[in-house]
Amino acid sequence: EVRVLQNLRGKIYDAKHLVPNKMRDFFCTINLDQEEVFRTQVVEKSLSPYFGEEFYFEIPRPFQWLSFYIYDKSVLQKDLRIGKVSIKKEDLCNYTGKENWFMLQPVDSNSEVQGKVHLELKLNELITDNGSVCQQLVVQIKECHGLPLINGQNCDPYATVSLVGPSRNDQKKTKVKKKTSNPQFNETFYFEVTRSSSYTKKSQFQVEEEDIEKLEVRVDLWNNGNLVQDVFLGEIKVPVKVLRNDSFQAWYLLQPRENGNKSSKTDDLGSLRLNICYTEDCVLPSEYYTSLRNLLLKSSDVQPISASAAYILSEVCRDKYDAVLPLVRLLLHHHKLVPFVAAVAELDLKDTQEANTVFRGNSLATRCVDEMMKIVGKHYLKVTLKPVIDEICESPKPCEIDPIKLREGDNVEINMENLRYYVDKVFREIVRSSISCPTLMCDVFYSLRHLAAKRFPNDPHVQYSAVSSFVFLRFFAVAVVSPHTFHLRPHHPDAQTSRTLTLISKAIQTLGSWGSLTKSKLSSFKETFMCEFFKTFQEEKFTESVKKFLDDVSSTESKEPSGLSEPVHLKEGEMYKRAQGRTRIGKKNFKKRWFCLTSRELTYHKQQDKEPIFTIPIKNILAVEKLDENSFNKKNMFQVLHGEKPLYIQANNCVEASEWIEALCRVTRCNQRRLSFYHPSAFLNGSWLCCKATIENTVGCARCTADVPADTQIEIDGDRETERIYSLFTINMSKLQKLEEACGSIAVYQGPRKEPDDYSNFTIEDSVATFHTLKQIIDTVEKLNESHEKYQKKRSSSAKYGSEENPIVGKVS
């Protein structure tokens, strides 16, 4: 089975010149078509709000448009949409990985569409009463899928079906379907196309047969507004000429109105700066990747390391980050990361001339360690820093000590005391945390420490600076300054808190490097106010703490496995749950609750910091599955099956629902009593909606979905990472071939190198070994190309254009 997996990562930076031209409170959302899947925090009183929020999520469904909306926050009325950036899915690749300013487009209800409609059209010939022949058009509107939510609720859709030509516009209308995004209409409408010659208008003029070439069927979808105005949901147009006496049945994607979004005033709404990286991977079955996977996994054994497949991958990618992400995850998954990092770090050290610049650059080694710490150290950061970061963000004390930035009435002595209190607290949490440091991080630090000491045998401090440059400078200090990136806080902190965190981060970097350098670090500060601040610290006391901490995190002695002593915090957030039979009134039994998942239990609470109302131990969860929308006419629902009645939960959007299901499946995978069958719908009014069985505890009628990886702390899909690497090699095939030619010419022509431009940017230590690996990479990638082409052919032949999987876009010609 081939899996098509899509994800989106990037950053919302800032907006400028927003209308109205006065200080307002703004926020930004990300929408898949019309479904909001991400929201920044509100930036208050600004004309050019800086959001600074990174996002990363899997996209669990097909979509047409990715949109970013800027809202003006209102206290009493509905938030006002100022403008949007909308990018068609096919165009996302043009912006990947680059920072771009986008002009805001007007938000126009005629262009806000989502969903698809299923139609059948037919031309019949009829004999009229007077014996002449005329043509009749039969339009059957069957159903729609994926219509948007309106104000967070399922819509009340209806459709109008029109036959439109130069001199006519006949319109008919379906019944309104209540509270559904997937209405089943199954209504048929009849239109006379060519009228018989006996038909005349009141003016007694003879009517010529209408030109069938100019007629088209138009289907518009609307949400019935009852007391307010109906909302346009999208339209499709089909020219009658495509029928040619045939029956024509197909699915169509709903389109914006042709006059939608054509406002002439597009240049004065402001602009938004974004970085977007969208990837779509077609992941083949595991056996297809065996050759490429083996080639990558044996990288750490290749001599020299620069001739290995993993190293070559980082050389040919324009942005090293693209290569590092899947590479680290794949090597982690197969327990091959530590030897690979050691090998590339050794190559890094060869080029390092001075001990005090060890691991300070952005090399493959440092990026691999950075990425490893982000993945493996997630829980370590939470248990170490989250409580103190929460305290700083939720009740911030003034900490500004720069005389230029002080505001009127600020007391610099008090601010310095506040800053000192925070720095001491953060520092104390860090140096006490070595017991929680993940074993894998310790193993990497151990090998870096020994490599650095071997490279600079006469410098007693280098073994410490090799470790502190990662654990303090690239891990703790970075997490303090941007806690939202490391999931320590939900959003980017406000400007004042951000400044406090920056000052704390600077202090932590300095204290962390004290243990590795004898001479005082005060000289390294550009700002005199930081020098003054540091004079209050007793160097010896801090140096000893840092050294002890660095010794602990870079030793290979076995520690208590972290995570057994306290539960691992996995996910939390606000969702709606259906009362479990405690109230009888159907409408009122969906309640907003705060959910919290740890490695021990799933709980929900009335509010975030309140005691749990209900707890399900993880070991009692029997299955976690999606719930059919028809159960309660609500989207994005899933069910947690445990000893009692199922717990029905509604997430806020499709991304959130998929993340919760995945997290719950992962943590319950090893449960002994997991179910094999479940009911995809609910038990209502005495029977199961799915199989109509009347006994509530009867065995399920559908097989449970496949298992997912068991590791609760790091979940990695090895095949997907290999597919990503295959894509990177494919994109950079011309560079691989160039490198292969370069190796060939060096190996054959042993004299001085001519025209070095072709390969001077690449590291070629051993041209024969590198040539050999390149040949293997190119052969393996070409074999995978063939498998992908076969799959694409099969896919295009099986998903006919106009089928539900491959609906028609735009007009049918």
Side-chain angles (χ1 to χ4, degrees):
E1 188 62 23
V2 175
R3 298 174 294 146
V4 179
L5 304 172
Q6 357 171 45
N7 71 38
L8 187 72
R9 66 177 159 87
K11 187 169 182 176
I12 301 171
Y13 290 95
D14 52 343
K16 63 182 182 187
H17 309 314
L18 293 181
V19 175
N21 202 4
K22 48 184 171 212
M23 301 294 233
R24 308 293 293 202
D25 301 344
F26 294 109
F27 65 91
C28 180
T29 67
I30 303 179
N31 292 45
L32 295 175
D33 298 322
Q34 291 301 293
E35 182 178 16
E36 181 186 314
V37 293
F38 180 88
R39 177 182 286 219
T40 67
Q41 68 174 2
V42 177
V43 177
E44 294 178 349
K45 305 274 177 292
S46 178
L47 269 177
S48 301
Y50 181 78
F51 302 106
E53 299 216 16
E54 294 184 10
F55 52 86
Y56 173 86
F57 48 83
E58 300 292 324
I59 299 177
R61 64 170 180 81
F63 68 102
Q64 278 196 81
W65 295 87
L66 174 72
S67 302
F68 297 80
Y69 289 87
I70 298 264
Y71 283 83
D72 178 355
K73 177 88 180 146
S74 173
V75 181
L76 300 171
Q77 298 162 312
K78 201 174 157 191
D79 299 330
L80 179 70
R81 294 199 279 196
I82 299 284
K84 68 174 181 180
V85 172
S86 277
I87 306 167
K88 233 187 163 89
K89 180 184 165 181
E90 296 76 53
D91 299 334
L92 282 169
C93 56
N94 302 336
Y95 304 104
T96 282
K98 299 176 210 145
E99 209 177 283
N100 289 287
W101 279 101
F102 293 89
M103 299 299 288
L104 291 180
Q105 306 148 3
V107 179
D108 158 24
S109 59
N110 286 336
S111 64
E112 307 295 295
V113 302
Q114 173 186 315
K116 52 191 171 186
V117 58
H118 190 190
L119 285 188
E120 184 171 3
L121 305 169
K122 206 161 41 180
L123 267 179
N124 289 341
E125 288 201 337
L126 289 185
I127 297 173
T128 57
D129 298 344
N130 64 0
S132 60
V133 176
C134 78
Q135 283 184 307
Q136 182 191 49
L137 173 69
V138 184
V139 181
Q140 186 187 11
I141 177 161
K142 292 172 178 268
E143 59 184 319
C144 290
H145 270 188
L147 297 180
L149 299 177
I150 304 287
N151 299 331
Q153 299 293 316
N154 275 336
C155 52
D156 294 342
Y158 69 88
T160 58
V161 181
S162 317
L163 182 63
V164 184
S167 55
R168 71 190 286 180
N169 186 352
D170 302 349
Q171 191 180 75
K172 306 190 175 190
K173 183 177 155 184
T174 67
K175 295 190 175 95
V176 175
K177 298 292 175 184
K178 287 287 182 192
K179 297 276 168 279
T180 175
S181 300
N182 302 325
Q184 302 281 330
F185 291 111
N186 292 318
E187 292 190 41
T188 307
F189 301 100
Y190 300 92
F191 297 92
E192 245 182 43
V193 176
T194 50
R195 295 161 177 162
S196 55
S197 52
S198 61
Y199 177 93
T200 55
K201 279 191 177 172
K202 284 178 185 163
S203 61
Q204 303 301 311
F205 280 102
Q206 192 88 8
V207 174
E208 292 174 20
E209 282 199 3
E210 258 187 297
D211 185 356
I212 212 167
E213 292 287 314
K214 292 178 182 163
L215 286 179
E216 65 180 10
V217 177
R218 196 177 84 210
V219 178
D220 292 80
L221 272 124
W222 297 85
N223 176 53
N224 182 36
N226 289 329
L227 303 171
V228 292
Q229 195 178 0
D230 292 358
V231 177
F232 175 73
L233 300 177
E235 69 173 17
I236 62 144
K237 294 177 177 179
V238 186
V240 173
K241 65 181 177 189
V242 300
L243 300 176
R244 300 192 182 89
N245 303 330
D246 246 349
S247 155
F248 188 84
Q249 185 179 164
W251 283 87
Y252 299 83
L253 279 176
L254 291 171
Q255 297 300 313
R257 280 231 181 110
E258 282 193 349
N259 61 348
N261 226 350
K262 288 276 169 69
S263 164
S264 56
K265 297 175 80 178
T266 54
D267 53 348
D268 52 4
L269 293 173
S271 51
L272 180 64
R273 184 162 57 119
L274 300 168
N275 187 337
I276 307 163
C277 185
Y278 167 77
T279 54
E280 181 179 285
D281 297 318
C282 294
V283 183
L284 304 169
S286 196
E287 61 271 16
Y288 285 89
Y289 297 110
T290 310
S291 305
L292 182 56
R293 187 168 49 236
N294 292 344
L295 193 57
L296 291 158
L297 293 180
K298 69 176 189 197
S299 289
S300 54
D301 305 326
V302 174
Q303 292 287 341
I305 189 70
S306 60
S308 68
Y311 193 89
I312 289 169
L313 174 70
S314 74
E315 288 277 86
V316 295
C317 286
R318 194 173 61 88
D319 183 352
K320 266 198 173 60
Y321 185 72
D322 289 342
V324 165
L325 206 62
L327 189 57
V328 167
R329 294 170 75 89
L330 181 72
L331 295 173
L332 253 180
H333 186 58
H334 293 280
H335 312 292
K336 294 279 189 185
L337 185 66
V338 181
F340 179 72
V341 167
V344 288
E346 198 168 1
L347 184 63
D348 216 13
L349 286 166
K350 262 189 197 172
D351 297 333
T352 309
Q353 301 310 318
E354 291 181 34
N356 61 358
T357 59
V358 161
F359 301 131
R360 289 295 169 95
N362 259 339
S363 63
L364 176 61
T366 57
R367 287 187 175 207
C368 283
V369 179
D370 285 354
E371 202 48 49
M372 176 277 296
M373 293 190 298
K374 263 188 197 167
I375 299 167
V376 178
K378 219 184 255 182
H379 176 59
Y380 176 35
L381 271 180
K382 268 190 179 158
V383 296
T384 309
L385 289 183
K386 187 163 171 47
V388 62
I389 297 285
D390 284 345
E391 181 191 332
I392 296 165
C393 293
E394 281 157 22
S395 48
K397 299 174 179 179
C399 292
E400 186 54 75
I401 56 171
D402 181 351
I404 298 166
K405 293 188 176 174
L406 284 173
R407 283 186 291 202
E408 213 175 310
D410 278 358
N411 183 324
V412 74
E413 276 78 28
I414 291 174
N415 288 10
M416 205 177 267
E417 274 173 35
N418 292 340
L419 183 59
R420 176 67 200 250
Y421 164 76
Y422 284 148
V423 169
D424 278 343
K425 197 161 185 179
V426 171
F427 180 78
R428 201 165 52 242
E429 293 300 336
I430 292 172
V431 293
R432 281 183 188 165
S433 71
S434 59
I435 195 76
S436 309
C437 186
T439 313
L440 192 100
M441 278 172 70
C442 297
D443 291 347
V444 169
F445 297 152
Y446 174 79
S447 80
L448 295 176
R449 175 180 181 161
H450 283 271
L451 287 167
K454 191 171 120 192
R455 171 74 179 85
F456 297 102
N458 302 325
D459 189 318
H461 303 289
V462 73
Q463 55 173 333
Y464 292 111
S465 57
V467 179
S468 71
S469 66
F470 286 107
V471 75
F472 277 102
L473 270 66
R474 290 169 171 264
F475 187 56
F476 285 121
V478 181
V480 167
V481 88
S482 51
H484 55 293
T485 311
F486 289 83
H487 307 288
L488 297 174
R489 296 289 301 164
H491 294 291
H492 180 74
D494 62 56
Q496 192 184 333
T497 312
S498 227
R499 173 68 182 156
T500 300
L501 293 172
T502 303
L503 291 169
I504 297 168
S505 176
K506 281 183 175 189
I508 292 301
Q509 287 182 46
T510 305
L511 292 173
S513 58
W514 268 2
S516 58
L517 292 166
T518 45
K519 63 179 195 297
S520 169
K521 282 285 284 175
L522 294 183
S523 59
S524 68
F525 280 117
K526 297 186 193 82
E527 308 101 332
T528 47
F529 63 86
M530 284 306 275
C531 291
E532 291 304 310
F533 176 60
F534 263 93
K535 284 177 185 167
T536 65
F537 287 80
Q538 285 177 306
E539 195 169 329
E540 294 73 31
K541 189 178 95 183
F542 285 93
T543 304
E544 284 315 304
S545 305
V546 170
K547 276 193 166 163
K548 184 181 180 315
F549 170 72
L550 295 174
D551 280 332
D552 288 349
V553 295
S554 58
S555 75
T556 54
E557 290 165 26
S558 61
K559 295 192 169 53
E560 295 172 25
S562 68
L564 291 185
S565 50
E566 54 182 306
V568 181
H569 181 98
L570 297 170
K571 192 162 178 57
E572 61 182 353
E574 209 166 50
M575 295 188 287
Y576 295 83
K577 63 100 200 164
R578 183 173 188 260
Q580 296 178 288
R582 289 195 282 270
T583 55
R584 295 194 162 197
I585 308 153
K587 278 274 166 77
K588 292 190 179 168
N589 56 8
F590 270 90
K591 299 225 172 81
K592 192 188 273 193
R593 292 287 180 255
W594 184 265
F595 283 80
C596 186
L597 173 66
T598 71
S599 52
R600 284 198 196 148
E601 57 195 21
L602 172 68
T603 55
Y604 60 75
H605 316 240
K606 261 199 172 162
Q607 281 156 340
Q608 186 170 353
D609 296 319
K610 297 275 187 274
E611 287 300 302
I613 307 172
F614 191 72
T615 300
I616 307 174
I618 290 302
K619 62 177 190 292
N620 293 359
I621 295 178
L622 310 175
V624 181
E625 296 289 344
K626 286 182 179 171
L627 185 73
D628 282 354
E629 190 184 315
N630 63 5
S631 304
F632 302 106
N633 270 339
K634 288 181 185 294
K635 277 187 155 185
N636 305 317
M637 287 207 65
F638 62 96
Q639 50 184 325
V640 178
L641 307 173
H642 56 112
E644 303 169 38
K645 295 187 173 189
L647 173 62
Y648 296 129
I649 301 173
Q650 183 187 25
N652 295 298
N653 57 60
C654 64
V655 169
E656 195 178 81
S658 133
E659 286 176 352
W660 272 98
I661 293 169
E662 192 186 345
L664 281 159
C665 285
R666 217 164 50 232
V667 75
T668 57
R669 180 175 174 247
C670 300
N671 287 358
Q672 299 298 313
R673 299 182 299 133
R674 270 187 80 98
L675 297 176
S676 302
F677 291 90
Y678 77 107
H679 289 285
S681 280
F683 186 81
L684 293 173
N685 307 327
S687 73
W688 288 100
L689 295 179
C690 38
C691 57
K692 308 292 179 261
T694 51
I695 301 161
E696 191 166 358
N697 60 359
T698 188
V699 174
C701 56
R703 185 169 277 287
C704 286
T705 47
D707 291 343
V708 292
D711 190 332
T712 56
Q713 292 209 34
I714 310 165
E715 109 285 343
I716 289 170
D717 178 342
D719 293 341
R720 183 184 192 167
E721 305 306 338
T722 317
E723 167 62 30
R724 189 92 294 277
I725 291 169
Y726 152 75
S727 304
L728 292 169
F729 276 139
T730 310
I731 295 162
N732 293 293
M733 184 52 86
S734 62
K735 282 189 188 171
L736 289 170
Q737 287 162 342
K738 208 178 213 181
L739 192 52
E740 191 182 32
E741 280 170 29
C743 289
S745 67
I746 293 167
V748 173
Y749 175 69
Q750 295 292 339
R753 294 186 187 183
K754 288 184 180 173
E755 298 168 22
D757 298 349
D758 281 359
Y759 46 85
S760 58
N761 298 332
F762 298 125
T763 307
I764 305 175
E765 289 181 289
D766 180 335
S767 56
V768 177
T770 309
F771 183 86
H772 179 63
T773 307
L774 282 161
K775 189 162 174 28
Q776 287 177 294
I777 293 171
I778 292 167
D779 290 350
T780 311
V781 168
E782 280 170 356
K783 274 202 190 105
L784 269 169
N785 280 344
E786 286 169 23
S787 308
H788 275 280
E789 277 164 21
K790 270 185 200 157
Y791 161 67
Q792 291 298 354
K793 269 185 194 158
K794 193 173 159 195
R795 185 184 180 189
S796 54
S797 60
S798 64
K800 196 170 109 247
Y801 193 45
S803 65
E804 190 178 353
E805 302 77 47
N806 190 11
I808 293 168
V809 183
K811 255 192 194 182
V812 184
S813 49

